[in-house]
Amino acid sequence: DVLSLACCWQQRVNSACTHAPTGLGPNLVGVTPEKAIKLAANDYFREKLTDPVTNELPIGRQILAGGLAGFLQVSATNPMEIVKLRMQLQNLKPAAERLTSMQIVKNLGLRGLYKGVAVTWMRDVPYSIIFFPGYAVLSEQFADKDGNTGIVAIIGAGLLTLTHQSVNDRCSPSLAL
């Protein structure tokens, strides 16, 4: 309708086109590797856990593959998350006191880079345990004659994890950084 178009035009004029992609860089650097690791790990573990004789992957092994994928992803990306959070906090300090990312890594050390990893495992491993097998089962159930699932399995797996994510968002402890 006309009102929606007017709002969109006003937003475009006020924020200019240069502000639209401002969140793209951090997402490409932070979120993309995280998801790529999780997806690749799940595929790897599913392949390794599939019975070579029957070519079947029972639900218990699907759950194990999902859990291992979540565990591996958190283990690989937790240091990056800690450094990212510390860098965001640097903006609260006077310019003379701000540290570079390399200084933060050096100050934290290996142990500090993994601070809070257990809590993150408790969040991401159950999510992966639900999501990946849920997606696989729904893909089998809703596949057409050519084996294509479309968006139904993705939405269904997302809905399966929605309650977990809602509880997680409301109950996650805030870690002192």
Side-chain angles (χ1 to χ4, degrees):
D1 64 14
V2 176
L3 184 58
S4 296
L5 289 174
C7 288
C8 288
W9 179 257
Q10 189 65 33
Q11 182 68 29
R12 187 180 151 291
V13 169
N14 288 341
S15 65
C17 292
T18 58
H19 290 284
T22 55
L24 183 60
N27 275 317
L28 289 176
V29 171
V31 176
T32 303
E34 181 180 310
K35 300 304 177 196
I37 291 168
K38 191 180 286 192
L39 291 169
N42 184 63
D43 286 347
Y44 174 80
F45 290 123
R46 286 178 63 85
E47 182 181 318
K48 293 298 178 189
L49 294 169
T50 298
D51 187 319
V53 176
T54 63
N55 204 31
E56 290 183 5
L57 184 63
I59 191 70
R61 290 185 181 181
Q62 290 182 38
I63 289 169
L64 179 60
L68 288 170
F71 182 85
L72 182 67
Q73 175 264 309
V74 169
S75 300
T77 60
N78 197 73
M80 181 178 60
E81 288 294 316
I82 294 293
V83 172
K84 179 187 82 172
L85 291 170
R86 293 287 177 108
M87 288 299 294
Q88 290 170 342
L89 292 173
Q90 293 300 307
N91 292 330
L92 301 174
K93 295 181 176 182
E97 296 177 23
R98 293 181 189 170
L99 301 174
T100 66
S101 57
M102 289 309 293
Q103 289 171 320
I104 290 172
V105 170
K106 193 174 185 178
N107 289 348
L108 287 171
L110 187 60
R111 181 171 271 183
L113 289 172
Y114 281 94
K115 182 177 184 179
V117 73
V119 174
T120 310
W121 282 327
M122 287 188 283
R123 179 193 69 198
D124 284 15
V125 171
Y127 175 88
S128 297
I129 283 172
I130 296 167
F131 181 81
F132 286 116
Y135 174 75
V137 168
L138 290 172
S139 291
E140 290 174 12
Q141 296 297 314
F142 291 103
D144 62 15
K145 63 182 186 295
D146 298 324
N148 300 321
T149 54
I151 197 161
V152 174
I154 295 171
I155 291 173
L159 290 173
L160 286 174
T161 59
L162 186 62
T163 302
H164 172 267
Q165 198 61 37
S166 295
V167 169
N168 172 57
D169 291 345
R170 285 170 181 74
C171 298
S172 289
S174 56
L175 297 174
L177 297 174

